[in-house]
Amino acid sequence: MELALSLGDTPKPFSLLDHHSRSQQQKMKDLGFCMGLGGSKNLEDLHFMNTMREKDDDDDDDDDAHQKTEDKKSSSSSDPPPPLQLDLLPFSPVLRSVPPPPPPSQRSFPWLSKNLIAEMGSQNKPVQVLDVKPMAGVSDHQDNMEETAGGESSPNNSNSGTSSFQMDFSSIFKSSNSGRSFHSRKRDLELATVNLELVEATTESDQRASSRGGGMSDEDENGLTRKKLRLTKEQSAFLEDSFKEHSTLNPKQKQALAKQLNLRPRQVEVWFQNRRARTKLKQTEVDCEYLKRCCETLTEENRRLQKELQELRALKTSQPFYMQRPATTLTMCPSCERVATTTTTATTTTPRPQQPTSSHRH
DNA sequence: TAAGAGCACGTGTTTACATCA
DNA sequence: AGTGATGTAAACACGTGCTCT
């Protein structure tokens, strides 16, 4: 489904945007606004896919199945004409909030780069992860698996009724004081990822099995209703930062984030799902509001034109047929679909209209 | 080429929790 | 301080599309 809509001073109203004419789209945007709907990918998806493509260029070592899927998604999406970006200028805060592609030095998210492994070996640096102390009853099969694998935290099955974690983010979220950037924190994440790689081969399948419906729910496991855990501000902020980088995660990224935040991979996955849903909902609201305004504008314009038409008709009936005043009509140029103003000179001697003289120039 | 499994994701719903009057 | 209404977000269930075998 494609939809193109154009308002403003653009000389080419209501024609489907030419997929290959970026400059024209830009021109239209400059003049007024343009919008298009196509496929299901929003700008963030496209941005992410572009990033992933660039990542693939940089990192040729990541050949897991999911990455293949991403590659195929990217390639398949680029084969047909790309879905048009929904660009609701001038007020589309959600889209405007989409971060521009970072500079090349920061663009990719090398979760598992070889350099990283080399760096770990050279620096002999211990893996730095968040020191998270789960206080609520979050123990399940996955947690046990992760704790066994990571050895970072001890199982805590005491259901204290606390709804959230007590976390010590001093290792990373000292950033506000120490000035560590998100990319610096990302680096910590990468280090954790490398460590995680050692065990994820054995834990991934088990965790996935338990996290995707095949596993026991909390209720099944301990006979209590599941305790919904509120993520801390720090956890949410970190996830938000990650989401700004990538709106979707591959399994390794998910694992790394989960490890870093001491969450279950399922939690990270769910968070990203919900986050995408929220983004889409927001965007839908913005689009809806904007289309409503468009509708109002067009209704008003239609009303005005109808009125004008009525006046012209009234004028026509009141004027003699042989009036010398040239009639003005609107015709559409079949070649470029532009609306052109043509004038015909009506005379008493020539009932047939003369060849119209068009003011439209190609 | 068809069929089935596995997976990721979107979407709608449920529900725990926080906030406010 | 206690309580109900309401909003938010985590978690879940289900369907769909894609890939691989």
Side-chain angles (χ1 to χ4, degrees), chain A residues 35 80 85 183 209 350:
Chain A
M35 60 170 290
Q85 168 185 340
H183 294 289
T350 57

Side-chain angles (χ1 to χ4, degrees), chain A residues 11-45:
Chain A
K12 188 181 178 182
F14 294 102
S15 65
L16 284 177
L17 296 176
D18 181 6
H19 292 298
H20 309 291
S21 176
R22 289 283 169 198
S23 60
Q24 186 160 6
Q25 291 180 30
Q26 183 59 45
K27 186 180 171 185
M28 292 178 70
K29 281 197 288 186
D30 292 339
L31 288 172
F33 70 86
C34 64
M35 60 170 290
L37 297 175
S40 62
K41 295 298 179 186
N42 60 18
L43 183 59
E44 293 183 16
D45 293 333

